Amino acid sequence: MPRPFLLRALIALCLACALTACSKQPQPFQSTSLEGVKWGKDFELTAHTGQRLRTADYRGKVLVLFFGYTHCPDICAPTLAKLAQLSKALGEDAQRVQVLFISVDPQHDSPAQLKNFLAGFDPAFIGLTGTADELGTVAADHMVFFKQAKAGRVEHPGMLFVKDTKGRMRLLMKESTPLDDMLHDLRLLLAE
């Protein structure tokens, strides 16, 4: 009598192990996880439409924040072009992702300048500007450091900061991250 019970228990144990092995484990992000950081809070700046924009109003969307400027000679345009490709690759899910291009050059990047610049990439992208103090505060809270350089240039990082649908800072992506890796990570966030 103990043998059939033992055999059934062994079969049940093997079946449970096989099912566990076949179940999908959460896939890790390809980008750097920022899970649990206390910086990168909500903020308010002036959008390229001239209206004030609050990031808190975008709950339910994944936010991709990119700090740059419209006269950037090397990083900004290629990164925005890649983000436009990413938006197309997301298909209908692109409606659940919002790219925010935050100026680090308030002297030159007026709302109208941002609007004209971003129109060449994706009409859904939003450009943000503000006073030097406002932009300095937002940048510092997102661990972004920039400074004026020679010939009107601004030294700034080419990183992308990604917030989840609840407004929490989640990922740090390099501008050189392959498009497929960006797509993978955004799909994971959208599936949460």
Side-chain angles (χ1 to χ4, degrees), residues 111-181:
Q113 175 71 19
L114 286 166
K115 182 177 182 178
N116 290 336
F117 179 68
L118 291 174
F121 299 101
D122 188 318
F125 292 177
I126 297 174
L128 296 172
T129 190
T131 66
D133 286 343
E134 286 176 324
L135 291 169
T137 299
V138 171
D141 185 53
H142 287 77
M143 303 298 171
V144 171
F145 302 97
F146 62 93
K147 68 177 186 174
Q148 293 293 325
K150 295 178 183 176
R153 293 184 66 161
V154 181
E155 292 179 8
H156 67 96
M159 299 295 195
L160 303 169
F161 299 85
V162 183
K163 293 185 177 187
D164 66 17
T165 59
K166 295 178 181 166
R168 299 174 300 195
M169 186 64 73
R170 293 293 296 279
L171 298 174
L172 178 66
M173 293 179 176
K174 294 179 183 177
E175 79 278 2
S176 60
T177 300
L179 184 65
D180 287 343
D181 289 352

Side-chain angles (χ1 to χ4, degrees), residues 30-170:
Q30 302 299 316
S31 305
T32 302
S33 175
L34 297 176
E35 187 88 31
V37 299
K38 301 294 183 206
W39 48 269
K41 299 178 187 78
D42 284 320
F43 59 87
E44 181 177 325
L45 289 171
T46 301
H48 69 260
T49 60
Q51 302 296 313
R52 294 294 281 182
L53 178 143
R54 296 174 353 145
T55 54
D57 293 339
Y58 285 82
R59 291 292 185 270
K61 288 191 175 197
V62 169
L63 294 181
V64 178
L65 310 177
F66 179 40
F67 291 79
Y69 65 111
T70 61
H71 293 93
C72 177
D74 49 8
I75 297 172
C76 296
T79 303
L80 288 167
K82 184 185 281 187
L83 289 172
Q85 289 177 315
L86 178 64
S87 187
K88 287 180 184 162
L90 282 166
E92 289 189 22
D93 281 336
Q95 296 173 7
R96 298 175 51 215
V97 176
Q98 183 61 61
V99 172
L100 300 176
F101 180 69
I102 304 161
S103 176
V104 294
D105 188 10
Q107 292 177 343
H108 300 103
D109 287 343
S110 65
Q113 175 71 19
L114 286 166
K115 182 177 182 178
N116 290 336
F117 179 68
L118 291 174
F121 299 101
D122 188 318
F125 292 177
I126 297 174
L128 296 172
T129 190
T131 66
D133 286 343
E134 286 176 324
L135 291 169
T137 299
V138 171
D141 185 53
H142 287 77
M143 303 298 171
V144 171
F145 302 97
F146 62 93
K147 68 177 186 174
Q148 293 293 325
K150 295 178 183 176
R153 293 184 66 161
V154 181
E155 292 179 8
H156 67 96
M159 299 295 195
L160 303 169
F161 299 85
V162 183
K163 293 185 177 187
D164 66 17
T165 59
K166 295 178 181 166
R168 299 174 300 195
M169 186 64 73
R170 293 293 296 279

